[in-house]
Amino acid sequence: MLENFIQNLAEWILAVSNGEIIWVAFYAGLFVAIMTSLGAMVAIFARRIPEEGVDFSLSFAAGVMIVASFTSLILPAIESTDSFAPAGVGIALGVLLIYAIDRLLPHEHLVKGYEGPKSMKNRLRKVWLLVIAVIIHNLPEGMAVGTSLVYNLEVGLVTAIAIGIQDFPEGTVVSLPLATLQKKRLQPILMGILSGFAEMAMVLLGAYFFTLFSWLLPYGLGMAGGAMLYVTVKEMIPEIYKSEKSETLVTLGFFAGFYVMLLLDSMLG
């Protein structure tokens, strides 16, 4: 049933887009942006999110991203060329790209604290440092959707659906802590929405670039996979395992995300 839904969705989107991949990317990007925005709007009704809820949401996202890195990006890159070399180069480029952004852009994590140039630590407000950290995390997700859409429409839509599902709690995780920090509602919600549309911009950029330079697509798939793996392993997993008291819940959240993405991907097998 889900497989038929994805195939019918792919045919409908192609029809309304007149076969233009950029319009397909626009709709997919709009979907992930809306899901992030809806999650951010939870801050209108809720005062706070339990710490266990934050940990479960982030670990769910990590599970989705780990599987998507391989099934939607790295393995297709290898299969499309019958060689590991382009995928391997792409993975390394993705890791280096996010590593450089991580080091050069000032940002702050709620748990790990400040990262980036020390000279910028006191020049930006804490709220902007937190938002920049979220946007850095969202860049690989947007790139993953955009590049996978160029590779295969149905694979790209599965990736967009899975990323969108985990973007809803991510949007909440962004806006609620900011609302608590600032004692305000509107600005944190707008910050969460901004992070979603930054992700949409990467969907469009990735799709546009690799449509123009299709011969680079295997490298792009590997790069998006490497970038997502870096963010998951270096940023998200240390963040969610910060406290020993919720280890079981975190692990369950990770495997819930793992299974959801694997199930969605298997529908196309």
Side-chain angles (χ1 to χ4, degrees), residues 104-247:
L104 296 175
L105 275 184
H107 60 285
E108 184 157 347
H109 303 280
L110 288 169
V111 176
K112 291 176 66 179
Y114 179 82
E115 290 186 338
K118 292 182 179 179
S119 60
M120 295 295 294
K121 184 174 182 179
N122 298 318
R123 295 188 183 183
L124 289 173
R125 294 171 61 189
K126 187 180 182 72
V127 61
W128 281 109
L129 292 172
L130 291 169
V131 169
I132 292 171
V134 174
I135 290 175
I136 291 172
H137 284 193
N138 284 358
L139 293 181
E141 296 174 18
M143 191 191 309
V145 175
T147 53
S148 58
L149 280 169
V150 176
Y151 169 73
N152 181 284
L153 179 59
E154 290 183 3
V155 171
L157 287 177
V158 164
T159 306
I161 290 168
I163 294 293
I165 290 171
Q166 57 100 20
D167 272 346
F168 183 91
E170 273 196 356
T172 305
V173 168
V174 174
S175 60
L176 269 180
L178 289 176
T180 303
L181 184 70
Q182 289 194 298
K183 311 297 184 186
K184 298 176 182 176
R185 294 284 164 205
L186 181 59
Q187 190 179 39
I189 291 169
L190 292 176
M191 296 296 184
I193 292 171
L194 173 64
S195 72
F197 280 89
E199 188 172 341
M200 178 181 178
M202 282 305 297
V203 175
L204 290 168
L205 183 61
Y208 180 71
F209 182 85
F210 290 106
T211 299
L212 287 180
F213 303 98
S214 57
W215 63 276
L216 287 173
L217 182 60
Y219 297 91
L221 290 166
M223 184 168 68
M228 284 221 296
L229 283 174
Y230 179 88
V231 166
T232 306
V233 173
K234 196 264 181 183
E235 303 286 357
M236 297 180 74
I237 291 177
E239 194 95 353
I240 59 182
Y241 276 107
K242 65 186 182 293
S243 173
E244 295 182 2
K245 63 183 179 182
S246 57
E247 278 188 357

Side-chain angles (χ1 to χ4, degrees), residues 29-45:
L30 187 62
F31 171 71
V32 297
I34 288 173
M35 290 296 286
T36 306
S37 301
L38 290 174
M41 289 177 187
V42 171
I44 296 173
F45 312 102

Side-chain angles (χ1 to χ4, degrees), residues 10 13-28 149-150 153 204 207-208 211:
I13 290 178
L14 269 180
V16 299
S17 304
N18 293 321
E20 293 288 334
I21 191 64
I22 297 305
W23 278 108
V24 174
F26 173 81
Y27 293 126
L149 280 169
V150 176
L153 179 59
L204 290 168
Y208 180 71
T211 299

